[in-house]
Amino acid sequence: MHTLADYRAATDPLAARAIERAIAAAATAAHAAYQANPSDANRDAFISAAATDCAVAYHATHGEPWRA
């Protein structure tokens, strides 16, 4: 799974967008897994993935050095 650091390290806008989409997909998959089996581990994985997705969305909205 990609991280916020992977996203911020991207120097190519296309690569950053691909990482952004992969992180969003991972959060969606983690949510589906939690809905299917609401265990503590699935909850924690969903919270982690959702937090990463939110952090990337924040950085995407507020700009990154390569977007300047």
Side-chain angles (χ1 to χ4, degrees):
M1 185 168 100
H2 289 287
T3 66
L4 177 60
D6 296 333
Y7 175 76
R8 296 196 72 199
T11 57
D12 174 20
L14 293 178
R17 290 284 184 217
I19 292 169
E20 194 175 337
R21 285 191 301 273
I23 288 172
T28 301
H31 183 250
Y34 177 63
Q35 286 182 318
N37 178 15
S39 67
D40 288 346
N42 283 345
R43 181 198 64 222
D44 294 346
F46 169 56
I47 290 170
S48 176
T52 301
D53 189 26
C54 288
V56 167
Y58 173 85
H59 285 280
T61 301
H62 290 85
E64 289 296 326
W66 55 263
R67 291 185 182 165

